[in-house]
Amino acid sequence: MQKEIDYKKLLNSAQFDAVTTLEGPVLVIAGAGSGKTRALVYRVARLVESGIPPESVLLLTFTRKAAQEMLERAAGLSDARCRFVSGGTFHSLAHRVLRSHAELLDYSNSFTILDRSDMEEAIHSLVPGPRLPKGIHKFPKRSTLADIISKSANLERPVEDLMEEEYAQFIEFIPQIKSLETGYRNYKQANHLMDYDDLIINLRKLLIDYPDVRTQLSLRYRYIMVDEYQDTNSIQSDIVRWLAHEHRNIMVVGDDSQSIYSFRGANYRNMFEFPVHFPETRIIRLEENYRSTQPILRLANALMDKASEKFTKCLFTNRIGGEQPKVMDTMTGPGQAQFISRYIINQLHHGHSITDFAVLFRSGYHSFELEAELNRQGIKYTKYGGFKFLESAHIKDFLAHLRVMVNKDETVSWQRVLGLIKNIGPARTASIIKWMREDSIGPADIEKWPGSGRNADMLKPLSLLFTKLASLHGTDPEKAVEQVMEYYSTILEDKFDDYPRRKKELDQLLPMARRYKRLGDFIDDLVLEPPNSSNELSQGDKTELLTLSTIHSAKGLEWPTVFIIWATEGRLPPSRAYQNPSVLEEERRLLYVAATRAKDHLIVSYPGQETMPLWQFNNRSENGSQSRLSSFLNSLPEGVVSYGSIGNGEKRPVRSWQREDSGRKNTNYEKYNASCVPLDNTVSQDLSTGDRVNHPAFGAGVVSRFISGDKIEILFKNAGRKLLHLEYTKLEKII
């Protein structure tokens, strides 16, 4: 039964505007903790309440779980029909559409989806091998090749341009990698395979090249909402524009200050370009924060005040009180670990829960010392930011047996399945796959392979498994998982020393499969929406743990008390960020995301007496330099944070732009470095091919060549070949 909602009472004025503006394009700038999910939920309810058929509403999010939770909340608020709103990810939408229209793109409608690991294996199988040029550098690993090809596709940049900028150490292999990219594309087409990138690329192609499909989809989804728009790439932005082509009823919600996924192809500029594509856009700002205290928000606002490009907004809260964020100099790395451990233990003694705390860091290795100290203190913790569930070898092995039952021509899975059997190597695997394809042999008849010879029985267990799976006719995914489990258990014990742990992870597939009626749907959903990590599979375990997390993995979460560790120049931001202004700006946004995870207390720590590389800092000594507080924090206005140090009470660090020997302020700190000569036009004109130079991060090297007038390639003694931007590079010519 439909319930009446008092929107004005339940929403603030900005949220009310976002919820009740139903027609035309709307851009919602949603600051951290400002209730954007609440606005989306109530807008779904408002649309259905207004008489819009729920099937005409499309809600695009970055996880299917997020969409489902929003629709359930909307249904609970107003009308149960909200559950029938179309919700999901760009990839799941593309999957649904392509299953119906794949033949327009010369694909079978039963195409198989390749996940990241499948992609790497397929690329590796196509590597040219002996034809590679000989030299001192190794050919890129499969994961790097997949990164290059995927990023090239997502950014829509030629492989050679991408490699010259980001993979300069492999420049000599550009011809082979371009050829590999073409071979991989042809391989997928011939075998009716699509990877993640293909799903959205092919959806856009359908929308652009086939007006009938575009019109059909645009008329089907007459009201569109997109969450986390700052994390979309250019392809997804195009999809949004084409889907709204017929009606322009499109609302996108995002925060340019939380765009931190450029390494995945995300383009925060989509936020700024939305009003360009839709000139009649109404811009609504959500600035009232419901998470943090005002002192924490003051720090967040101050951080983004210095951003070079942003939508102006000022976060505020109606919460009363709150203490200033603290910046603590812990002197050393071990001191930092001890400080955090003792602080948490003290708070636990005062009645706080271990789940009230989180420790965030820029990179996974930054927490190693802390992890050791936590183990010594007996503090249990969980760490996020590691391997994904489907990247585990045992999960890949297991699912491969199911996937060949859905698509018997899927070479990648056959290679994995056959590779698990004794006495079957790459040559025999290739022979078996060729025989099955040429003679149209089904999986259950694989034991009839004529090349078995003296090992005639080696394929019988596998053949028996496929016979059992075939008898299910693909209608009982749970029983299919049970059959593969029985077959694979022996292999699991032989292959892995830690098979008990892996077996527990495999057991989680049973309840997942139980929710499906078709095996193909089960496999598709696992690939499209995999569990984030093996930690997520243990939700039944109620053990309370301290959270350690990379900042990227913590986005969207919150804790009463948050620590940010290793807030030093060279780590946050990392030294390489200074070579590119856009990268440096993203590092600023990363710190903003970390700070706004805190509800009540924010503590930032840095080991100020830790010996660090000389090139990073101004105060030099014979043995090295003391690490410096991150310039993002050191440039904050007075009074935004309080400073202290272990054993020394209040301590205000010297600002990063001050030289300790003179106190003279340098207004362009990013391009100043006391240990080398800034590279201006005069210096760059003095350099020639063959000159010896010193780089603050990579050390000594030799100039190899100049590229495009503003880039220089240098072969470093220890770091290998690097392509650097002259405008942002500091070099010292060695005479």
Side-chain angles (χ1 to χ4, degrees):
M1 183 175 178
Q2 184 171 322
K3 307 171 188 175
E4 289 189 8
I5 300 176
D6 188 343
Y7 292 96
K8 282 198 171 181
K9 180 179 180 181
L10 296 171
L11 303 170
N12 65 40
S13 59
Q15 290 172 334
F16 181 80
D17 287 345
V19 166
T20 56
T21 305
L22 303 183
E23 304 292 328
V26 181
L27 172 62
V28 178
I29 311 299
S34 62
K36 71 175 179 65
T37 300
R38 184 179 183 83
L40 285 167
V41 167
Y42 276 82
R43 193 171 194 266
V44 169
R46 179 76 169 198
L47 284 165
V48 175
E49 178 186 88
S50 301
I52 307 299
E55 297 82 4
S56 297
V57 181
L58 175 65
L59 173 62
L60 290 173
T61 62
F62 271 79
T63 67
R64 185 177 298 181
K65 180 181 178 183
Q68 290 172 339
E69 289 178 350
M70 289 185 200
L71 299 182
E72 283 295 325
R73 284 177 59 183
L77 286 171
S78 173
D79 192 319
R81 292 180 303 151
C82 291
R83 295 188 178 92
F84 299 113
V85 166
S86 297
T89 66
F90 280 93
H91 291 86
S92 63
L93 171 67
H95 173 243
R96 290 198 302 270
V97 174
L98 290 168
R99 284 294 182 200
S100 300
H101 300 288
E103 72 282 353
L104 295 176
L105 304 176
D106 296 325
Y107 276 89
S108 164
N109 287 341
S110 61
F111 65 85
T112 295
I113 304 171
L114 296 177
D115 67 13
R116 174 53 185 250
S117 183
D118 295 324
M119 177 187 182
E120 291 183 11
E121 289 190 28
I123 290 171
H124 183 67
S125 70
L126 298 170
V127 170
R131 296 189 297 277
L132 293 175
K134 295 181 179 179
I136 59 173
H137 300 293
K138 293 182 179 179
F139 196 66
K141 295 180 179 179
R142 65 180 74 183
S143 59
T144 303
L145 292 170
D147 285 340
I148 293 170
I149 292 174
S150 179
K151 199 163 189 178
S152 172
N154 272 293
L155 297 178
E156 300 183 281
R157 296 182 59 192
V159 162
E160 56 268 34
D161 291 354
L162 178 69
M163 290 186 63
E164 284 185 357
E165 184 168 320
E166 298 188 29
Y167 300 90
Q169 66 272 34
F170 299 122
I171 280 180
E172 62 199 279
F173 296 118
I174 284 178
Q176 289 75 27
I177 295 175
K178 286 179 63 178
S179 176
L180 184 61
E181 178 196 32
T182 301
Y184 174 58
R185 183 169 58 250
N186 294 338
Y187 171 83
K188 288 184 293 182
Q189 188 83 50
N191 290 278
H192 300 285
L193 305 169
M194 291 190 200
D195 58 28
Y196 288 144
D197 304 322
D198 295 323
L199 290 174
I200 60 170
I201 290 171
N202 286 332
L203 173 58
R204 183 180 65 173
K205 183 174 177 61
L206 275 176
L207 293 171
I208 294 174
D209 294 349
Y210 296 92
D212 290 346
V213 175
R214 178 174 69 237
T215 301
Q216 173 191 344
L217 289 172
S218 190
L219 293 177
R220 179 189 304 172
Y221 302 121
R222 297 194 61 86
Y223 295 86
I224 303 172
M225 289 169 282
V226 184
D227 191 16
E228 304 284 9
Y229 194 65
Q230 79 280 351
D231 292 334
T232 57
N233 60 28
S234 298
I235 301 168
Q236 291 163 327
S237 174
D238 288 345
I239 289 172
V240 168
R241 287 195 289 130
W242 285 114
L243 286 174
H245 183 264
E246 298 292 328
H247 50 71
R248 303 175 79 78
N249 297 325
I250 171 71
M251 185 175 88
V252 299
V253 182
D255 182 4
D256 53 296
S257 297
Q258 295 189 74
S259 180
I260 58 174
Y261 296 116
S262 65
F263 64 91
R264 297 180 185 171
N267 182 5
Y268 78 102
R269 290 205 52 79
N270 288 343
M271 295 281 293
F272 300 100
E273 292 172 359
F274 184 84
V276 176
H277 297 310
F278 297 93
E280 69 275 34
T281 293
R282 179 176 181 183
I283 299 178
I284 300 172
R285 289 173 169 81
L286 303 184
E287 297 174 302
E288 183 175 353
N289 181 280
Y290 295 92
R291 175 187 299 151
S292 306
T293 62
Q294 193 60 50
I296 293 173
L297 298 180
R298 187 184 179 198
L299 166 61
N301 290 331
L303 277 172
M304 296 314 299
D305 278 346
K306 295 182 178 296
S308 61
E309 187 175 30
K310 60 184 180 295
F311 281 108
T312 301
K313 58 183 176 296
C314 184
L315 297 177
F316 69 93
T317 183
N318 287 319
R319 291 184 61 185
I320 304 300
E323 63 180 34
Q324 271 189 326
K326 294 184 175 63
V327 175
M328 292 293 299
D329 181 356
T330 62
M331 306 300 179
T332 65
Q336 181 174 240
Q338 292 167 9
F339 164 71
I340 293 171
S341 298
R342 291 169 183 171
Y343 183 100
I344 292 173
I345 290 172
N346 180 61
Q347 294 299 305
L348 294 179
H349 288 159
H350 284 81
H352 291 275
S353 168
I354 191 70
T355 58
D356 290 342
F357 305 91
V359 183
L360 308 183
F361 33 85
R362 174 62 180 83
S363 299
Y365 72 92
H366 292 172
S367 69
F368 287 171
E369 285 176 317
L370 176 59
E371 292 176 58
E373 181 63 24
L374 292 173
N375 285 326
R376 283 192 288 269
Q377 298 294 338
I379 301 174
K380 294 184 178 181
Y381 64 89
T382 183
K383 182 176 178 180
Y384 293 91
F387 289 106
K388 304 299 182 187
F389 177 65
L390 287 186
E391 292 174 356
S392 301
H394 58 298
I395 303 295
K396 297 295 300 176
D397 290 347
F398 191 96
L399 293 180
H401 294 82
L402 298 174
R403 294 175 70 159
V404 296
M405 289 301 297
V406 176
N407 181 358
K408 68 181 182 65
D409 295 322
E410 208 224 288
T411 303
V412 172
S413 289
W414 272 118
Q415 289 172 337
R416 180 174 284 274
V417 167
L418 294 171
L420 296 171
I421 300 174
K422 292 180 180 179
N423 301 315
I424 295 184
R428 282 187 166 183
T429 294
S431 177
I432 294 171
I433 293 172
K434 181 180 179 182
W435 164 71
M436 294 182 70
R437 180 165 295 184
E438 291 178 350
D439 292 355
S440 298
I441 304 298
D445 294 323
I446 194 171
E447 65 175 325
K448 298 177 183 178
W449 179 53
S452 296
R454 290 179 297 177
N455 300 308
D457 294 335
M458 62 183 176
L459 292 170
K460 279 190 175 181
L462 183 61
S463 184
L464 178 60
L465 168 66
F466 289 138
T467 299
K468 293 178 180 178
L469 292 176
S471 68
L472 301 174
H473 304 293
T475 59
D476 195 332
E478 182 183 8
K479 288 186 177 178
V481 169
E482 289 175 347
Q483 294 291 346
V484 177
M485 194 81 73
E486 182 180 337
Y487 169 83
Y488 184 66
S489 292
T490 302
I491 297 174
L492 185 74
E493 293 183 16
D494 290 339
K495 189 175 180 181
F496 302 104
D497 290 337
D498 59 343
Y499 66 87
R501 177 186 66 81
R502 295 177 185 260
K503 177 63 166 59
K504 289 180 181 178
E505 293 185 351
L506 287 172
D507 287 340
Q508 301 304 313
L509 293 172
L510 280 169
M512 295 179 191
R514 197 172 295 141
R515 298 193 295 265
Y516 294 84
K517 293 183 178 180
R518 294 182 62 255
L519 185 59
D521 293 341
F522 168 57
I523 294 172
D524 283 342
D525 278 5
L526 264 183
V527 174
L528 288 167
E529 290 288 331
N532 186 48
S533 69
S534 49
N535 283 326
E536 287 192 10
L537 300 176
S538 303
Q539 293 178 354
D541 183 0
K542 301 301 183 182
T543 302
E544 293 190 340
L545 302 170
L546 171 67
T547 296
L548 309 183
S549 177
T550 60
I551 300 171
H552 286 98
S553 296
K555 185 174 178 291
L557 303 177
E558 60 183 42
W559 296 269
T561 299
V562 169
F563 297 89
I564 304 173
I565 64 174
W566 278 106
T568 61
E569 287 294 281
R571 296 208 180 190
L572 184 59
S575 56
R576 65 179 181 278
Y578 282 99
Q579 298 180 26
N580 188 323
S582 64
V583 174
L584 190 62
E585 283 298 286
E586 181 159 324
E587 294 298 325
R588 178 186 299 279
R589 297 194 295 269
L590 195 64
L591 183 56
Y592 169 89
V593 168
T596 53
R597 301 310 95 199
K599 296 167 67 176
D600 305 316
H601 307 282
L602 176 62
I603 302 170
V604 183
S605 64
Y606 73 107
Q609 292 184 359
E610 194 75 34
T611 300
M612 300 292 285
L614 287 176
W615 65 269
Q616 292 179 358
F617 312 104
N618 297 332
N619 54 318
R620 300 198 290 174
S621 67
E622 183 177 342
N623 296 321
S625 290
Q626 293 178 353
S627 61
R628 285 305 192 95
L629 177 63
S630 169
S631 55
F632 296 145
L633 294 164
N634 227 342
S635 61
L636 293 173
E638 296 288 343
V640 172
V641 298
S642 62
Y643 295 88
S645 63
I646 294 178
N648 291 330
E650 188 74 14
K651 177 186 178 182
R652 180 66 168 93
V654 177
R655 286 193 177 271
S656 297
W657 57 70
Q658 288 180 297
R659 294 186 63 182
E660 290 187 331
D661 56 354
S662 67
R664 181 172 57 85
K665 183 174 182 179
N666 180 0
T667 59
N668 193 8
Y669 171 69
E670 285 85 349
K671 293 187 178 181
Y672 175 81
N673 191 293
S675 62
C676 63
V677 179
L679 183 62
D680 56 22
N681 291 333
T682 304
V683 177
S684 65
Q685 291 171 1
D686 288 341
L687 291 177
S688 304
T689 302
D691 282 349
R692 296 173 62 227
V693 295
N694 187 67
H695 184 274
F698 304 128
V702 177
V703 176
S704 301
R705 58 173 172 155
F706 292 86
I707 301 173
S708 304
D710 62 348
K711 299 172 187 174
I712 185 171
E713 181 184 276
I714 300 176
L715 181 61
F716 290 101
K717 180 178 179 181
N718 296 322
R721 198 181 305 272
K722 299 289 182 183
L723 188 69
L724 307 175
H725 290 258
L726 287 170
E727 185 179 356
Y728 310 113
T729 298
K730 303 178 182 70
L731 292 173
E732 184 178 21
K733 186 174 180 180
I734 301 175
I735 308 298

